[in-house]
C-alpha cells in the first residue's frame, strides 16, 4: 500500500460529517424521548446519591453528572451535549486544524455520555459502531492544535489506519456469517430480498420498485450479498494492491444500493467511510484525474507485474467458481433468468466457519505485523538523533495501542463461532470485560433474521373522545396511510418510528416504552407529539388530547404493478391482524398498573432551573428548532458546511493561480531584463568592434 495521506484526510472529514449528523439528529428528538415529559425520561438513569464525582463516573461514564453544577437538568444537559457535538463536528468539517485527536476524543466522550442514558432508543448497532469508529479516529487523527508540523508524527499512520480496515472486516464478515448461522429460512432459501424491501423499518420509494423485480433476480442478489460480505472481506488484507481497491468498489456498491432502498440513517455512510481504509494516495490521485506517468520497467518488474495480474485473476476466478458451485447458479436461456439455490448444509457451513475463523485472526496478525515493521523502518530513516528518537517513541506507543485494540477486538469477533471464542486467552477476555462499558469494541451482525415473512406487522395507534369513533394517529415516517409514499429521511433516524417497528414484532409487554408513549399522548404532551407529527395540522387531536387510546396490529404489503404496467395510486395494502394494546384512559387501573410495573409512573415534576444564561439560551434554541423537520436541519448543516469547504477550495485555487501568475510575470520580467542586458552587451561589443576597425583603416590609410 502506498501513502495514505488523502484517504486519511477524507476519513477524518467524513467522520466529522457523521458526528454532525448523529448529534443533530438526536438533538431534535431529546425532549420527546428523554425529556421530563418524554417517553423515557433520562433523569431516571442518574441517581444523585451524594457520591464523589469520580465514583459516579465509574458507575456510569457520562458528563451529565456535571449538569447540576451548570444549573441544568438531565434534558438540558443532553441538549447541551448535542449542540456542542454538532458545533464541534461542523467546525471540524469546515476547518482542517480542528480535525484533531483532542477534538475527536471530545466528540467520542460526548456521544458516549448520551449512550449511557439513551436506553432502548440508543441501543442500535450503528450507535455502537460510531463509538468504536470514533475511538479509533482519536488514534488516526493528528495533533493539529499543538501546531506540530514535524513529519515524524505521521510515520505511524499506517498502523492506526489499519485498525479501521480490521473493524471494517469484522463488520462485513460477521454481517454475512450471521445470516447463515441464524438458520433463517429466508436467508437459506435465498428469498430474503423478496420480503426485505417491504418489511424493513422505513422503506424508500425505490424500495417499492425494487420489490417488483423478478424472484430469480432477488435470489441472485442474495447470492451476490453473500459473496460481497463473506468472501470479499478477505481481500482487504490481500498483498496485491489492486485487489483491495476492487474490494472497496464492491463494498461501496453494496452500501449505495442499501442507501437507495432503505432509510438506515448514517449507518451506510459510516460503512463507506470505513472502506476508505482500503485506498491509497495513488488511487485517489487517479480518481481525481492526476494520472501517474508510466515509467520504463525492467524485465524483472514486468515479470512480477504479470505474475501479480495472473494471481489476482486466479483469485477472482476462485470466488466466482465457488459462488457458482455452492449456490448452483445455472443460466436458463429460454426464460432469460438465472436459477440459484443453496447447495450446502448448516453443518457444512458451521464446519467451514470453524476452519476459517482462527486463520482469519492470523491473517490479521500478519497484516498488522507488516504495518508495524514498515512503520519501524520509516522511523529508522528519519534524520537526526532527536527526531529519530521521537519518531521511535511514537511508533512504540501507537504500535502497542494497535496491538491491544486488535487483541481486545478478538473477543466480540469470535462470537460468530463458539469454539474459537473459547480459545481466546483469558487475559484478553479480562481486558475486554474491563473496557466493555466504553464500547471500544463490539460484535456486529446486521439483518440476522428476516422478519415479516407473512406480511409486515405494523402497529397503528388510534384515539377517540367517545370510545365509538376512532381516529388513526399517523406517524411522520413509518408506514400508516396506505396512500402515502415512503419517505426519504436518511441520514436522520426517527428513533420512535424505529422502535415502533420492533414493537410490532412481539406483544406490547416486550416494549415497556410503548406504555409511556400511550400515557404521554393521553396527556397531550407537546414534546412527544412532535415526534409523531411536527406539523400540528397533521395531528388529529391538536385541539384537545384524546380521551381513549388503543393500538391495533395490521399486516402491510406493497401493492403490485397494474396489469397494464402502470403504477397503482396506493403504495400499500393492509389487513387487520389483532389487538396490540387495549383501550385505556388516564387513571385507568390497567394503565396505572403497567406504568408502575415498568417504573414509568410520574413521581412529581422536577424543580425548574433558574433563569440563568445557559438554561435560557438552551430554551431559546429549542423553540427556534422545534418547528423545523429534522431532515431539513441535517441537510442544511451539511450543505452549509460543504459550501464553505467549496469556497475555501476555490479561494485557495484562485489565490494559488494568482501567485503562479505573479511568479510567471516575475520570471518573464527577469527574462526580458536579461534579454535587454544581452542586447545592450551585443550592441556595445559591436560598437567596440566598429571603432577598432575604423582605427585599423585609419592606420592603413596613413
Amino acid at each position: 500500500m502506498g501513502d495514505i495521506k488523502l484517504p486519511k484526510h477524507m476519513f477524518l472529514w467524513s467522520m466529522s460529517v457523521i458526528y454532525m449528523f448523529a448529534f443533530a439528529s438526536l438533538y431534535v428528538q431529546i425532549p420527546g424521548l428523554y425529556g421530563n415529559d418524554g417517553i423515557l425520561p433520562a433523569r431516571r438513569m442518574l441517581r444523585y446519591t451524594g457520591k464523589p464525582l469520580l465514583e459516579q463516573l465509574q458507575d456510569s461514564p457520562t458528563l451529565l453528572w456535571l449538569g447540576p453544577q451548570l444549573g441544568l437538568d438531565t434534558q438540558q444537559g443532553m441538549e447541551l451535549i448535542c449542540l456542542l457535538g454538532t458545533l464541534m463536528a461542523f467546525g471540524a468539517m469546515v476547518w482542517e486544524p480542528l480535525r484533531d485527536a483532542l477534538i475527536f476524543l471530545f466528540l467520542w466522550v460526548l456521544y458516549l455520555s448520551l449512550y449511557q442514558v439513551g436506553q432502548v432508543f440508543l441501543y442500535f448497532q450503528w450507535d455502537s459502531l460510531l463509538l468504536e469508529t470514533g475511538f479509533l479516529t482519536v488514534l488516526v487523527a493528528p495533533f493539529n492544535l499543538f501546531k506540530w508540523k514535524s513529519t515524524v508524527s505521521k510515520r505511524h499512520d499506517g498502523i492506526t489506519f489499519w485498525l479501521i480496515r480490521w473493524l471494517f472486516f469484522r463488520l462485513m464478515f460477521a454481517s454475512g456469517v450471521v445470516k447463515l448461522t441464524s438458520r433463517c429460512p429466508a436467508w437459506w432459501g435465498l428469498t430474503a430480498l423478496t420480503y426485505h424491501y417491504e418489511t424493513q423499518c422505513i422503506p424508500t420509494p425505490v424500495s417499492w420498485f425494487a420489490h417488483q423485480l423478478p424472484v430469480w433476480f432477488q435470489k441472485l442478489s442474495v447470492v451476490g450479498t453473500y459473496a460481497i460480505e463473506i468472501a470479499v472481506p478477505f481481500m482487504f488484507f490481500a498483498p496485491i494492491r489492486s485487489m483491495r481497491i476492487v474490494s472497496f468498489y464492491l463494498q461501496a456498491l453494496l452500501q449505495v444500493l442499501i442507501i437507495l432502498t432503505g432509510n438506515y440513517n448514517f449507518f451506510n455512510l459510516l460503512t463507506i467511510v470505513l472502506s476508505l481504509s482500503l485506498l491509497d494516495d495513488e488511487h485517489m490521485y487517479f480518481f481525481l484525474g492526476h494520472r501517474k506517468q508510466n515509467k520504463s520497467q525492467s524485465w524483472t518488474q514486468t515479470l512480477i507485474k504479470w505474475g501479480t495480474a495472473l494471481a489476482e485473476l486466479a483469485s477472482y476466478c476462485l470466488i466466482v467458481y465457488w459462488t457458482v458451485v455452492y449456490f448452483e447458479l445455472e443460466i436458463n436461456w429460454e426464460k432469460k433468468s438465472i436459477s440459484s439455490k443453496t447447495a450446502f448444509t448448516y453443518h457444512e457451513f458451521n464446519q467451514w466457519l470453524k476452519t476459517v475463523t482462527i486463520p482469519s485472526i492470523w491473517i490479521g496478525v500478519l497484516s498488522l505485523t507488516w504495518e508495524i515493521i514498515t512503520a519501524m523502518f520509516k522511523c529508522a530513516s528519519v534524520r537526526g538523533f532527536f527526531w529519530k528518537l521521537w519518531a521511535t517513541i511514537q511508533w512504540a506507543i501507537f504500535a502497542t495501542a494497535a496491538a491491544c485494540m486488535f487483541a481486545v477486538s478478538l473477543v466480540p469477533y469470535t462470537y460468530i463461532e463458539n469454539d474459537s471464542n473459547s480459545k481466546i486467552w483469558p487475559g484478553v477476555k479480562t481486558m475486554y470485560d474491563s473496557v466493555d462499558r466504553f464500547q471500544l469494541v463490539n460484535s456486529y451482525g446486521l439483518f440476522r433474521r428476516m422478519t415479516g415473512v407473512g406480511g409486515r406487522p405494523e402497529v397503528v395507534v388510534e384515539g377517540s373522545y367517545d370510545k365509538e369513533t376512532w381516529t388513526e394517529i399517523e406517524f411522520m415516517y413509518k408506514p400508516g396511510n396506505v396512500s402515502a409514499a415512503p419517505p426519504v429521511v436518511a441520514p436522520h433516524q426517527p428513533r420512535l418510528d424505529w422502535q415502533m417497528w420492533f414493537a410490532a414484532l412481539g406483544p406490547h409487554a416486550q416494549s415497556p416504552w410503548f406504555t409511556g408513549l400511550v400515557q404521554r399522548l393521553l396527556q397531550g404532551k407537546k414534546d412527544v407529539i412532535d415526534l409523531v407529527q411536527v406539523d400540528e395540522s397533521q395531528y388529529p387531536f391538536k385541539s384537545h388530547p384524546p380521551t381513549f387510546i388503543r393500538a391495533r396490529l395490521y399486516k402491510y404489503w406493497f401493492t403490485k404493478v397494474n396489469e397494464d404496467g402502470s403504477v397503482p395510486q396506493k403504495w400499500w395494502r393492509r389487513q387487520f391482524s389483532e389487538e396490540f394494546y387495549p383501550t385505556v384512559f388516564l387513571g385507568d387501573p390497567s394503565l396505572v398498573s403497567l406504568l408502575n410495573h415498568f417504573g414509568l409512573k410520574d413521581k412529581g415534576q422536577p424543580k425548574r432551573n433558574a433563569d440563568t444564561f445557559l438554561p435560557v439560551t438552551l430554551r431559546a434554541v429549542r423553540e427556534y428548532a422545534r418547528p423545523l423537520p429534522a431532515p431539513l436541519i441535517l441537510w442544511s448543516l451539511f450543505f452549509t458546511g460543504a459550501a464553505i469547504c467549496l469556497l475555501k477550495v476555490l479561494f485557495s485555487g484562485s489565490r494559488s493561480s494568482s501567485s503562479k501568475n505573479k511568479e510567471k510575470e516575475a520570471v518573464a520580467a527577469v527574462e526580458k531584463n536579461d534579454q535587454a542586458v544581452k542586447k545592450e552587451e551585443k550592441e556595445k561589443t559591436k560598437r567596440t568592434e566598429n571603432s577598432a576597425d575604423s582605427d585599423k583603416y585609419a592606420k592603413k590609410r596613413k
Side-chain angles (χ1 to χ4, degrees):
M1 211 68 176
D3 293 334
I4 55 172
K5 182 179 179 180
L6 283 179
K8 174 185 170 183
H9 175 77
M10 290 187 60
F11 173 78
L12 296 177
W13 183 86
S14 301
M15 282 302 299
S16 303
V17 175
I18 298 297
Y19 265 126
M20 182 184 69
F21 284 152
F23 281 113
S25 174
L26 186 58
Y27 170 78
V28 178
Q29 306 173 75
I30 283 177
L33 296 179
Y34 304 114
N36 299 325
D37 294 328
I39 299 173
L40 293 177
R43 69 176 187 270
R44 304 173 188 272
M45 302 298 295
L46 300 177
R47 302 294 181 184
Y48 296 96
T49 58
K51 291 183 179 180
L53 179 61
L54 291 179
E55 292 186 12
Q56 290 177 328
L57 290 174
Q58 289 178 353
D59 295 338
S60 179
T62 173
L63 295 179
L64 291 172
W65 293 114
L66 301 175
Q69 283 80 357
L70 299 175
L72 304 176
D73 58 23
T74 306
Q75 173 187 339
Q76 291 177 329
M78 295 182 71
E79 291 180 349
L80 178 61
I81 287 177
C82 283
L83 289 176
L84 286 176
T86 303
L87 291 176
M88 293 180 67
F90 183 82
M93 174 187 176
V94 301
W95 195 36
E96 185 175 356
L98 288 181
R99 292 169 214 153
D100 178 81
L102 293 179
I103 296 296
F104 282 111
L105 176 61
F106 195 48
L107 288 171
W108 178 79
V109 171
L110 292 177
Y111 204 78
L112 179 65
S113 299
L114 297 171
Y115 181 86
Q116 294 297 323
V117 298
Q119 305 169 75
V120 69
F121 292 110
L122 264 175
Y123 292 166
F124 293 96
Q125 289 197 47
W126 33 85
D127 294 310
S128 300
L129 180 63
L130 178 58
L131 285 171
E132 182 171 353
T133 309
F135 185 78
L136 296 182
T137 307
V138 178
L139 301 178
V140 173
F143 289 93
N144 286 330
L145 293 181
F146 291 142
K147 304 293 184 181
W148 194 259
K149 297 182 180 180
S150 175
T151 56
V152 296
S153 62
K154 301 179 180 179
R155 306 289 176 178
H156 57 265
D157 281 354
I159 301 175
T160 53
F161 211 46
W162 181 91
L163 292 173
I164 305 297
R165 198 190 318 171
W166 172 247
L167 170 59
F168 188 37
F169 170 80
R170 287 167 39 219
L171 171 68
M172 300 310 301
F173 184 67
S175 297
V177 165
V178 298
K179 292 177 175 61
L180 294 173
T181 56
S182 66
R183 298 191 181 188
C184 175
W187 284 114
W188 276 91
L190 307 181
T191 58
L193 290 184
T194 60
Y195 310 107
H196 165 73
Y197 297 116
E198 70 177 2
T199 61
Q200 61 183 322
C201 179
I202 304 178
T204 66
V206 180
S207 302
W208 187 90
F209 294 95
H211 184 73
Q212 314 301 322
L213 294 172
V215 175
W216 70 266
F217 186 84
Q218 307 279 26
K219 297 177 71 174
L220 185 62
S221 300
V222 174
V223 174
T225 302
Y226 283 142
I228 292 176
E229 292 186 343
I230 298 178
V232 172
F234 286 95
M235 294 167 56
F236 297 173
F237 307 106
I240 302 174
R241 171 179 169 273
S242 55
M243 291 183 65
R244 296 193 291 270
I245 293 174
V246 169
S247 66
F248 162 79
Y249 283 106
L250 290 175
Q251 299 295 336
L253 173 64
L254 176 62
Q255 299 307 317
V256 169
L257 292 176
I258 296 176
I259 290 174
L260 292 175
T261 57
N263 288 288
Y264 291 97
N265 53 81
F266 58 81
F267 167 65
N268 302 109
L269 297 176
L270 180 56
T271 306
I272 295 176
V273 171
L274 293 176
S275 68
L276 294 175
S277 60
L278 302 173
L279 303 179
D280 59 10
D281 285 353
E282 183 179 346
H283 185 73
M284 294 302 299
Y285 282 123
F286 174 81
F287 182 78
L288 295 173
H290 304 294
R291 299 189 178 184
K292 189 177 180 180
Q293 294 181 354
N294 295 326
K295 298 180 180 180
S296 58
Q297 297 179 339
S298 63
W299 67 270
T300 306
Q301 293 174 325
T302 304
L303 184 62
I304 293 175
K305 180 180 179 180
W306 280 101
T308 302
L310 290 176
E312 180 180 0
L313 180 61
S315 301
Y316 298 149
C317 291
L318 281 176
I319 292 177
V320 173
Y321 172 76
W322 286 335
T323 303
V324 172
V325 171
Y326 287 110
F327 292 99
E328 293 188 0
L329 300 182
E330 294 182 0
I331 301 177
N332 189 326
W333 298 104
E334 295 181 359
K335 296 183 179 180
K336 296 181 180 180
S337 63
I338 300 177
S339 63
S340 57
K341 67 177 181 179
T342 307
F344 53 91
T345 63
Y346 172 80
H347 176 73
E348 291 173 340
F349 178 77
N350 208 28
Q351 287 298 119
W352 176 85
L353 187 59
K354 290 181 180 180
T355 304
V356 303
T357 302
I358 297 299
S360 68
I361 295 175
W362 283 109
I363 290 174
V365 170
L366 293 176
S367 181
L368 177 59
T369 303
W370 174 262
E371 295 292 346
I372 292 176
I373 293 175
T374 302
M376 181 182 66
F377 278 106
K378 289 182 179 180
C379 294
S381 64
V382 176
R383 294 183 178 180
F385 174 77
F386 173 77
W387 296 117
K388 184 176 295 186
L389 177 62
W390 178 240
T392 304
I393 293 174
Q394 286 186 323
W395 167 83
I397 293 174
F398 284 96
T400 303
C404 291
M405 290 297 297
F406 173 75
V408 173
S409 70
L410 298 180
V411 178
Y413 169 62
T414 52
Y415 285 162
I416 60 176
E417 207 283 302
N418 294 329
D419 290 345
S420 300
N421 183 262
S422 63
K423 296 177 182 178
I424 300 296
W425 186 43
V428 174
K429 292 185 177 181
T430 302
M431 190 187 308
Y432 169 76
D433 293 335
S434 63
V435 300
D436 184 35
R437 67 166 77 182
F438 302 107
Q439 301 297 308
L440 299 186
V441 290
N442 300 279
S443 60
Y444 303 100
L446 301 169
F447 307 107
R448 186 185 302 268
R449 297 189 65 87
M450 190 54 55
T451 59
V453 174
R456 173 198 180 96
E458 196 67 55
V459 176
V460 175
V461 182
E462 298 177 339
S464 174
Y465 291 119
D466 55 7
K467 214 175 181 178
E468 297 292 335
T469 304
W470 293 91
T471 304
E472 293 187 10
I473 299 176
E474 186 175 348
F475 287 64
M476 284 185 290
Y477 306 114
K478 81 178 192 68
N481 185 352
V482 295
S483 299
V488 177
V489 299
H492 170 61
Q493 181 186 358
R495 296 179 181 267
L496 175 59
D497 294 65
W498 267 84
Q499 286 300 332
M500 290 289 288
W501 181 80
F502 283 106
L505 302 179
H508 71 83
Q510 295 181 1
S511 303
W513 60 267
F514 191 85
T515 299
L517 171 65
V518 171
Q519 178 193 23
R520 298 309 185 196
L521 293 178
L522 287 171
Q523 294 172 342
K525 296 299 182 180
K526 173 64 176 173
D527 293 335
V528 176
I529 294 174
D530 286 342
L531 296 177
V532 179
Q533 285 289 347
V534 173
D535 186 0
E536 292 185 356
S537 63
Q538 300 297 321
Y539 188 69
F541 302 99
K542 57 182 180 294
S543 59
H544 189 274
T547 307
F548 303 94
I549 278 185
R550 69 181 184 185
R552 312 178 81 191
L553 191 67
Y554 285 81
K555 291 293 182 71
Y556 276 68
W557 296 269
F558 270 141
T559 54
K560 297 181 179 180
V561 179
N562 296 327
E563 295 182 357
D564 58 356
S566 61
V567 178
Q569 294 182 349
K570 294 184 178 180
W571 294 80
W572 299 93
R573 60 183 180 89
R574 74 179 188 180
Q575 179 180 345
F576 174 74
S577 177
E578 59 182 339
E579 182 185 73
F580 179 78
Y581 200 88
T583 302
V584 294
F585 55 90
L586 284 179
D588 189 324
S590 61
L591 177 61
V592 174
S593 176
L594 287 172
L595 291 172
N596 289 328
H597 177 69
F598 297 133
L600 297 175
K601 188 175 181 180
D602 291 329
K603 298 180 180 179
Q605 290 295 324
K607 296 181 180 179
R608 178 180 174 84
N609 292 326
D611 292 332
T612 55
F613 173 76
L614 196 53
V616 171
T617 303
L618 290 174
R619 285 196 290 268
V621 174
R622 170 60 60 190
E623 290 303 319
Y624 178 79
R626 183 184 294 274
L628 301 177
L632 176 62
I633 295 177
L634 268 63
W635 285 115
S636 298
L637 287 171
F638 174 77
F639 284 117
T640 302
I644 294 174
C645 293
L646 182 61
L647 289 175
K648 288 177 64 178
V649 171
L650 294 176
F651 178 74
S652 61
S654 61
R655 186 170 56 183
S656 61
S657 62
S658 62
S659 62
K660 288 181 180 179
N661 292 333
K662 290 181 180 180
E663 291 178 359
K664 290 180 180 180
E665 291 176 359
V667 171
V670 171
E671 291 178 352
K672 187 177 181 180
N673 188 29
D674 292 341
Q675 291 176 359
V677 171
K678 290 179 180 179
K679 185 176 181 180
E680 185 177 352
E681 289 178 353
K682 287 181 179 180
E683 292 178 353
K684 187 176 181 180
T685 303
K686 190 175 181 180
R687 287 197 301 268
T688 304
E689 291 176 353
N690 291 336
S691 62
D693 291 341
S694 61
D695 291 342
K696 289 180 182 180
Y697 178 74
K699 288 179 181 180
K700 287 180 180 180
R701 185 176 180 185
K702 187 175 181 181

